[in-house]
Amino acid sequence: MLSIVLLVLVGMLSGVLVVTLNKLKSLRGNLDVLQDNLDHARHKLTEYEQQVEDSDYELSQLRVQVSGLRTTLDKYKKYQEICEIEQYVINRTLQAENFVEMTKVDASIMVDDIKGYIERVKAFVEDYQTKAIQKVDQQAREKLQRYYKQAEQEYRLQDVVSALEHKIHGYQQGFSLAARDVLTELIDGYQEQDAARQLQEIRQQIEQAAQNKKVAKCNYVDEDRRNTTIDMISLAFNSRADLYLSRLTIDNLGLMLQALQDDFHLINYKGQDLSQASIQQSYLDLRLQELKFAALLLELKKVPVLTEAI
C-alpha cells in the first residue's frame, strides 16, 4: 500500500518535474528572445543616441544660422516699411488697374448712352430751332405787317389831313405855278393831233375801267351791297373829276390835279366805314393823265395864236 502511494507520489513528482522542466525550457527560450530584443533595443538606442547627437549638432548649426539671420534681419529691419510700401503699392496698383478696366467699360457704356442722348438732344434742338425760327418769322411778319398797315394808315391820314386843310383853307397859288412846268414837260415833241389822240386813248381806258368794274373796290360779301357801294363812291369821284375837267384852264392845272388827289384821299378815308371801299390808284392815275393832256391840248391850241402874234 505504501509502495503504491510512493509510486503515485513519484509519478506525480515526475509529472511536476517534467512540467517544470518544460516551463524552464520555455522560459529559457523566452529569455533568449528577450535578450535578443534587449540587444536590438540597445542597438536602436545607440543609433537613436547618435541621431540625437547629430540632431543636437544640426540644432546648434541652426541656432548659429538663426543668430546670423537675426543679425541680418536687424540690418534689414529698417527697410521693412519700404517693403510694406512696395507691397502696398503693388496691391493698390492692381486695384487701380482693375478700377481702370471697370471704368473703361463703364465709360464706354456711358459714352454710347451720351452719344445717343446727344443725338436726341440735337434732333430736339434742330426741331425746336426750326419751329422757333418759323414762329419768330411768323411773329416778325405779323408785326411788320401791322407796322406796315399802321405806317400806311398814318400816311393816308397825312394825305387826308392835307386834303382837309386844302378844302378848308383853299388852294394856294403855288399849285398853279407847277402847271406851267408840267405842260412844258408834256408839250415837248407833241403836236395838237398827238395830244388829242392821246387824250382820246386815255378816255377809252377810263371807259374800259368803268365797264370792267376797275374804278373802285369794296369788301362787302353781299354782291348787291358791294356793287351799290362801288357805284356810289365811283359816282362821287367821277363827279369831282368831271367838275375839275370842266373848270380846267392852263393856269389852274396844278390846282385841279391837287384837288382831285385830295378828293381821292378823302373818299377812300370815308370808304373805310363801308367795308374798306376805295377808288383804285390806277383809275386815279388815268383821271390825272386826262387832266394833264386836256391842259396840254389847250396849251397847243394857244401856241399857234401866240406865234402869229409874234
Side-chain angles (χ1 to χ4, degrees), residues 16-34:
V16 170
L17 182 61
V18 171
V19 171
T20 302
L21 290 174
N22 289 331
K23 287 183 177 182
L24 287 173
K25 187 178 180 180
S26 176
L27 289 172
R28 285 178 181 175
N30 291 333
L31 183 61
D32 292 336
V33 172
L34 290 173

Side-chain angles (χ1 to χ4, degrees), residues 52-251:
V52 169
E53 290 178 359
D54 294 338
S55 297
D56 290 338
Y57 177 76
E58 291 179 359
L59 182 60
S60 298
Q61 293 295 324
L62 290 174
R63 286 175 179 173
V64 172
Q65 291 178 4
V66 168
S67 178
L69 290 173
R70 285 179 178 176
T71 303
T72 305
L73 181 62
D74 291 336
K75 291 181 181 180
Y76 292 102
K77 192 172 184 180
K78 59 183 179 180
Y79 301 108
Q80 180 65 30
E81 294 181 356
I82 296 176
C83 295
E84 292 177 354
I85 292 173
E86 289 180 351
Q87 186 63 38
Y88 176 78
V89 170
I90 292 172
N91 294 334
R92 296 301 293 177
T93 301
L94 292 175
Q95 292 178 0
E97 290 177 354
N98 293 331
F99 178 76
V100 168
E101 293 299 326
M102 293 178 63
T103 303
K104 286 182 179 179
V105 175
D106 294 339
S108 178
I109 297 173
M110 187 179 296
V111 167
D112 293 337
D113 293 340
I114 291 174
K115 286 182 179 179
Y117 180 75
I118 289 174
E119 292 298 327
R120 292 193 297 272
V121 170
K122 283 183 178 179
F124 174 78
V125 169
E126 290 177 356
D127 182 64
Y128 180 80
Q129 186 176 10
T130 301
K131 291 181 179 178
I133 291 174
Q134 292 176 352
K135 184 177 180 180
V136 171
D137 183 66
Q138 182 66 26
Q139 291 176 351
R141 288 177 182 273
E142 292 176 356
K143 288 183 179 180
L144 288 175
Q145 188 175 7
R146 289 198 299 269
Y147 292 152
Y148 176 77
K149 289 182 178 179
Q150 184 178 358
E152 187 179 23
Q153 184 67 20
E154 290 179 357
Y155 180 76
R156 289 178 179 176
L157 288 176
Q158 290 177 359
D159 292 336
V160 170
V161 171
S162 178
L164 287 174
E165 289 179 351
H166 294 159
K167 297 298 182 181
I168 294 172
H169 301 293
Y171 294 93
Q172 303 297 324
Q173 293 298 322
F175 293 112
S176 62
L177 294 177
R180 183 64 57 184
D181 297 332
V182 173
L183 291 176
T184 302
E185 181 180 352
L186 289 174
I187 202 171
D188 187 21
Y190 268 95
Q191 296 180 0
E192 183 178 350
Q193 294 179 353
D194 296 331
R197 184 170 56 254
Q198 187 68 30
L199 181 60
Q200 185 64 30
E201 290 178 359
I202 291 173
R203 287 185 172 178
Q204 289 177 357
Q205 293 178 13
I206 292 172
E207 292 177 358
Q208 290 177 358
Q211 292 175 0
N212 297 330
K213 297 186 180 301
K214 293 184 178 180
V215 176
K217 61 181 180 178
C218 180
N219 294 332
Y220 278 127
V221 177
D222 184 71
E223 184 176 0
D224 293 336
R225 191 175 184 183
R226 182 174 64 253
N227 291 333
T228 301
T229 304
I230 290 174
D231 292 340
M232 180 179 65
I233 64 172
S234 298
L235 178 61
F237 182 74
N238 285 326
S239 298
R240 303 301 295 178
D242 293 339
L243 175 63
Y244 299 142
L245 187 62
S246 65
R247 294 180 179 179
L248 179 65
T249 64
I250 298 174
D251 296 326

